[in-house]
Amino acid sequence: MRSLALPLVVVLLLVSIAVPPAVAGTGVTKSKSTTNSTSTTKPTSTPQFVAAYPNPAIDDDAGEFVVVSFPTKTTLSEYRLSDGETTAKLPNRTVSGRVAFSADPVIAANRTNATVVAVESGFSLANGGDTVRFVTRPNATSVNPANASLTFPDAPEGERWHRTETGWTWTPLGASDFQVASVEDTKVRTFVLPDSPEVPLETIQNANDRILLGGYTFATPRIADALLAAEKRGVDVRLLLEGGPVGGIPRREANLLDRLTKAGVEVRMVGGPLARYSYHHPKYAVADDRALVMTENWKPAGTGGHGSRGWGVVVEDGQMADRLATVFEDDAEQRNTVAWPEFRKQRSFEPASPANASFPKTFDAKSATVESADLLLAPDNAETGVVSLIDSADESVRIQQAGIGNVRQPFLRAAVSAARRGVDVKILLSSAWYSEKDNRRIVEWVNQRAEKKDLPLEARLSNPKGRYEKIHAKGVVVDNESAVVGSLNWNNHSARENREVAVVLHGEQAAGFYANSFDSDWRASASDGNGASAKRLPVGLLGAVALGAIGALLLAKREVVFENRR
């Protein structure tokens, strides 16, 4: 599942690049979100194949299975299961609901929640693609051939082939399918970084019952001290972190995690060959009945307030906290997590210098009441949620991002479409050294397109002017009424391959807070730092753009590298 970081490649590919369209489904609009699901099937009165797991990440493909849905009580002895070469008899047993058929039922039972039924050992699934059918024994009731067969293509290791609303797809075994969760009329505390590092710290310090912390990295001594103090006063403290961040785990993080585990704090690392997602990339905490969701990592440059421009929110609602806790539990209990003491054995850690810069405080944290708040998760529902929110814009869209994957990225496409219907769209991207060239090309493309089509659309590179080091936010404000805050980067890898967490806040007070922060950063970035107008960046190289599959592939791979630096 994991992709190796590639060298940064300067690719001038700024026009039509084909990417898969956004996943269809109901998402989040300005008013109220509507829950969605990607696993429903049409009603049927006969058995229906719904999934296959043909290529387990284990020797000899032990534990492979197919899943069949039985809408009514069915006697299995009437049927046979065939892969075209072998026809396996089924036991004389009556079943209903979802049933997994496997020649290794004990192993399969650890990989599916469906009822597991053993089939004859000669039955197997071909990793290179196969068709499986239900056939009836002589004189048995016939079944619908359209529902009673399943065909899958070449099978990636450790992934499940299953039905969605739009067709069949591969996803990592055990990947969640959470719906958008919403709470109404709730209080929130909005803040930005580096201005208000006290907010995440106080959220941890004020917990009396539970602290569930999810993150990509963890290297902040102040938060570690607060967690240790919480553990000492009897709070249930647990951490879930990425085990293979780009660049490796720094020695500073390893030392802090050693301190925490020795004091009794449970720390689990996500990763390995059975990982459900490419990266565990969220930044959140559940503290009693509060849900803290941020764009920033748990390190000095992020939550420590020593570097990045980021957005964060504390949703003071027990239902939202419980839903986020459910996500934590679901991710932490998977077979791809390892306790830190075991994980760290025979591993080396990288030296790293913590950020220690200081910045002025411009924006104080603000309390507000929102009409509703929606919890978005990637890869479950975040892409459709963000696209539908931008699609609902009537007046304005403000976008502040560390970067954008490419000019055909669905979020950017939605923003350009909004501009075409007259919505005022502003995009502010990071000027950090590692993304400046790529972000400049996006800015050039956006502004050239705006000028050519006479669109109310403009993009700029940030100019911090001493107020922060670089943009790390992944924020959107729509119509001054809704704001997106969370770890979701604007690239397909983040939306479709990572675990990400974001919150959509519906309310003028909360949205206005982030809009004011954006506007301040936007005004400060009226020039690119070299005296050139942000909207009049050089565009002479655009005529040299070369189209083709090679360029598209390079850009897609580069998304992974950039995303995981953020």
Side-chain angles (χ1 to χ4, degrees), residues 249-516:
I249 295 176
R251 188 174 300 127
R252 181 186 187 88
E253 177 173 345
N255 292 338
L256 289 177
L257 298 184
D258 285 343
R259 285 182 58 204
L260 291 171
T261 54
K262 288 178 181 178
V265 173
E266 179 183 303
V267 179
R268 298 193 70 81
M269 310 302 288
V270 182
L274 299 180
R276 300 197 293 176
Y277 311 113
S278 286
Y279 291 92
H280 183 258
H281 190 251
K283 304 93 168 52
Y284 70 87
V286 175
D288 294 347
D289 58 356
R290 297 180 296 279
L292 167 67
V293 177
M294 303 175 293
T295 68
E296 299 315 293
N297 288 306
W298 296 95
K299 62 181 184 179
T303 56
H306 294 297
S308 300
R309 164 65 80 221
W311 296 6
V313 63
V314 181
V315 181
E316 299 175 0
D317 186 280
Q319 292 183 16
M320 180 64 76
D322 287 344
R323 172 50 70 96
L324 192 51
T326 299
V327 175
F328 180 96
E329 298 288 355
D330 188 73
D331 289 343
E333 293 175 0
Q334 295 299 316
R335 64 198 185 286
N336 61 305
T337 65
V338 181
W340 170 252
E342 180 66 24
F343 181 89
R344 80 176 320 283
K345 290 180 180 178
Q346 298 180 341
R347 290 181 182 268
S348 59
F349 303 101
E350 306 299 325
S353 299
N356 55 15
S358 297
F359 300 93
K361 185 166 189 170
T362 305
F363 295 96
D364 291 321
K366 298 289 185 181
S367 295
T369 299
V370 296
E371 298 172 9
S372 62
D374 308 313
L375 181 64
L376 301 184
L377 304 171
D380 308 50
N381 53 52
E383 182 170 332
T384 53
V386 172
V387 169
S388 65
L389 179 66
I390 297 173
D391 285 346
S392 71
D394 295 320
E395 298 176 359
S396 65
V397 178
R398 296 173 173 90
I399 299 161
Q400 189 162 9
Q401 296 289 326
I404 295 177
N406 62 62
V407 299
R408 298 293 294 168
Q409 206 282 329
F411 300 154
L412 180 59
R413 290 165 60 186
V416 173
S417 295
R420 290 197 193 102
R421 61 179 185 269
V423 176
D424 181 55
V425 178
K426 292 182 172 64
I427 303 171
L428 186 61
L429 301 181
S430 175
S431 57
W433 65 268
Y434 53 82
S435 59
E436 189 271 341
K437 289 183 179 179
D438 297 273
N439 284 346
R440 183 177 293 274
R441 285 196 293 273
I442 295 292
V443 168
E444 291 173 351
W445 181 87
V446 168
N447 290 334
Q448 186 194 49
R449 192 171 190 83
E451 185 171 355
K452 182 178 179 180
K453 301 292 185 180
D454 192 25
L455 302 177
L457 169 68
E458 183 176 353
R460 295 178 179 176
L461 287 180
S462 66
N463 187 344
K465 292 188 175 177
R467 297 178 307 142
Y468 57 90
E469 180 184 7
K470 63 181 182 298
I471 289 178
H472 191 257
K474 305 95 169 54
V476 184
V477 180
V478 172
D479 290 346
N480 289 318
E481 296 176 356
S482 301
V484 181
V485 180
S487 65
L488 182 68
N489 283 309
W490 274 36
N491 63 62
N492 292 341
H493 192 86
S494 179
R496 299 172 183 176
E497 303 293 337
N498 287 357
R499 166 62 85 212
E500 309 281 4
V501 172
V503 172
V504 184
L505 306 172
H506 300 289
E508 293 183 357
Q509 286 181 313
F513 174 83
Y514 300 108
N516 289 338

